[in-house]
Amino acid sequence: MAPRDEYNVSSTITGADACNQVGIDSLGITNPTTIYRNMTYQQFFEHETTNNEGKVAHAEYGDTFCVDTGKFTGRSPKDKWLVKNIGSESDQNIWWGNVNQPTTPEVFKELYDKAVAHFNTLDKCYVFDGFCGASPSSQRKVRFVHEMAWPSHFVTNMFIRPENYEQLDNFTPDFTVINACSQVNEEWEKHNLNSDVAVVFNIEERKAVIFGTWYGGENKKGIFSLMNYWLPMQDPPQFPMHCSANVGKKGDSALFFGLSGTGKTTLSADPHRDLIGDDEHGWDEDGIFNFEGGCYAKTINLSEKTEPDIYRAIKKDAMLENVKLVEEGDSLVPDYFDTTKTENGRVSYPIFHIDNYHKPQIAGH
């Protein structure tokens, strides 16, 4: 059985008590009567095409869904905020400043209520329940609530997917992200924010809201920021790393550090070594481990000759973002050399799209 077929913990919950059955009623979301939870890849493709959420690209190794994220083709760091809960553990341990920008619990409550109110106008929504971190000692349960199929597809690619229904029984998330990306914060000036876009995390309440940006990377990088907070607080402390990683046949691990776009994904995709992950890892007493369940590669100037593993990973179940599509006959074909939209064209794909990935997702130091 192909890995894409092995992933099947999908359920569609309908009826007036759908929110209660999934557990999002505890968030205040009570109106949707149809909830698509942990959809299969086959279901995602069907929903994305039926809902006209993007276009189907005829990539060389398989049809791939492609989305346009609008004016934001990357993260918006000046619009990311952390709630400063005075006297709390996070208040005392976060280095507040231009990177970790503080906002107030009152602002968060207004934005949270706005996000919940939006979802309570919807008849349906998408929920993904999964995990961040392959090490059992620090793994976190994460929940995402989305209004469209493709962002749920994105987090399904990028986070660790449940292997069976038992892992979803009585699922209590350690953190929940409510992504109301179609909405904007009209009161941003009153809230002393920087624009009508808002990505706001409340560590003590274990919740976050997203407004005004469709960019998929906000979902993944937000949880990475939390892992950067949580892991050093462990006993014993663990080290979060912005790096890619692979392992040789003799168990020799290699880490590749660098800023976004400097080659971490490219260097770690080595045909002679097994891929652990391409972006976010932890270091604990037992070894190094991947935070994620997929890869998020830049597509600029991508070719099979220069980056064969990434090029071949672009097939059904992967998802292209902000990649130029050109007409060839009746098909739309990706042009990775056309950067008129952005130089930050991306593809997300589940890690099993790399043939020689390291299945344990954990390796020695």
Side-chain angles (χ1 to χ4, degrees):
M1 183 181 293
R4 72 186 300 260
D5 298 317
E6 291 177 0
Y7 176 63
N8 186 358
V9 291
S10 173
S11 57
T12 299
I13 301 93
T14 60
D17 65 340
C19 294
N20 174 262
Q21 289 189 54
V22 176
I24 62 173
D25 61 325
S26 65
L27 303 172
I29 300 174
T30 57
N31 189 69
T33 53
T34 301
I35 299 174
Y36 304 105
R37 186 186 190 191
N38 288 74
M39 289 206 304
T40 66
Y41 283 111
Q42 294 87 339
Q43 290 170 327
F44 276 126
F45 191 79
E46 179 183 345
H47 279 239
E48 289 160 345
T49 52
T50 301
N51 297 343
N52 294 314
E53 296 181 8
K55 298 178 179 178
V56 178
H58 186 63
E60 185 171 348
Y61 285 89
D63 287 350
T64 306
F65 201 72
C66 183
V67 297
D68 185 318
T69 64
K71 67 178 181 178
F72 288 99
T73 58
R75 288 179 292 116
S76 185
K78 291 298 183 182
D79 295 307
K80 184 176 178 180
W81 304 85
L82 294 171
V83 177
K84 187 176 177 69
N85 294 302
I86 301 299
S88 66
E89 182 182 75
S90 66
D91 178 28
Q92 298 171 28
N93 286 286
I94 287 175
W95 187 352
W96 301 100
N98 291 332
V99 175
N100 297 313
Q101 300 181 114
T103 188
T104 67
E106 291 76 21
V107 168
F108 179 78
K109 184 178 187 310
E110 288 191 29
L111 291 174
Y112 181 84
D113 289 347
K114 178 180 174 68
V116 168
H118 171 63
F119 273 88
N120 280 334
T121 68
L122 305 179
D123 295 325
K124 66 179 183 180
C125 65
Y126 297 84
V127 172
F128 171 76
D129 289 333
F131 307 93
C132 184
S135 174
S137 67
S138 59
Q139 186 176 81
R140 294 296 194 273
K141 297 177 180 178
V142 291
R143 167 170 285 172
F144 289 88
V145 184
H146 287 107
E147 54 189 305
M148 297 175 69
W150 82 256
S152 192
H153 179 177
F154 175 85
V155 295
T156 300
N157 279 350
M158 295 310 306
F159 288 89
I160 298 173
R161 294 163 290 280
E163 295 180 354
N164 51 60
Y165 284 103
E166 287 71 26
Q167 289 183 304
L168 296 177
D169 287 344
N170 302 311
F171 187 91
T172 302
D174 297 303
F175 206 87
T176 298
V177 177
I178 302 176
N179 192 326
C181 51
S182 70
Q183 306 299 297
V184 296
N185 176 25
E186 300 93 342
E187 298 184 293
W188 62 274
E189 291 176 297
K190 177 190 122 176
H191 292 150
N192 292 315
L193 305 184
N194 292 326
S195 78
D196 61 5
V197 173
V199 181
V200 189
F201 284 74
N202 191 324
I203 292 176
E204 271 67 41
E205 290 199 10
R206 303 188 302 170
K207 299 170 186 171
V209 293
I210 297 176
F211 286 94
T213 172
W214 296 90
Y215 183 64
E218 294 287 8
N219 295 278
K220 107 181 191 81
K221 283 298 184 181
I223 300 298
F224 180 45
S225 296
L226 292 171
M227 295 295 275
N228 275 279
Y229 172 77
W230 286 325
L231 264 62
M233 304 283 286
Q234 295 264 131
D235 184 17
Q238 300 181 13
F239 184 43
M241 302 177 291
H242 185 202
C243 68
S244 62
N246 61 27
V247 61
K249 305 305 179 187
K250 297 181 180 180
D252 51 311
S253 300
L255 304 177
F256 303 88
F257 290 88
L259 298 175
S260 296
T262 56
K264 295 187 301 299
T265 300
T266 301
L267 291 170
S268 59
D270 185 332
H272 305 294
R273 297 172 63 83
D274 291 344
L275 177 68
I276 300 173
D278 81 323
D279 193 50
E280 301 170 6
H281 294 81
W283 180 305
D284 64 12
E285 301 296 303
D286 300 317
I288 60 172
F289 56 94
N290 195 0
F291 286 173
E292 302 182 292
C295 301
Y296 197 35
K298 295 190 86 166
T299 57
I300 183 171
N301 298 333
L302 179 65
S303 71
E304 188 167 18
K305 180 179 180 181
T306 57
E307 299 176 84
D309 288 340
I310 298 171
Y311 187 88
R312 295 166 190 159
I314 302 175
K315 55 187 178 182
K316 191 162 283 189
D317 306 336
M319 188 165 60
L320 292 164
E321 283 185 29
N322 303 313
V323 171
K324 177 69 174 180
L325 301 180
V326 295
E327 292 185 9
E328 287 191 8
D330 296 330
S331 300
L332 294 173
V333 177
D335 182 350
Y336 306 119
F337 293 86
D338 186 329
T339 58
T340 51
K341 170 73 177 179
T342 178
E343 292 187 355
N344 194 39
R346 294 271 182 168
V347 60
S348 69
Y349 50 86
I351 197 165
F352 58 72
H353 276 203
I354 300 296
D355 289 339
N356 57 320
Y357 81 98
H358 187 60
K359 291 186 179 181
Q361 294 289 274
I362 301 174
H365 295 122

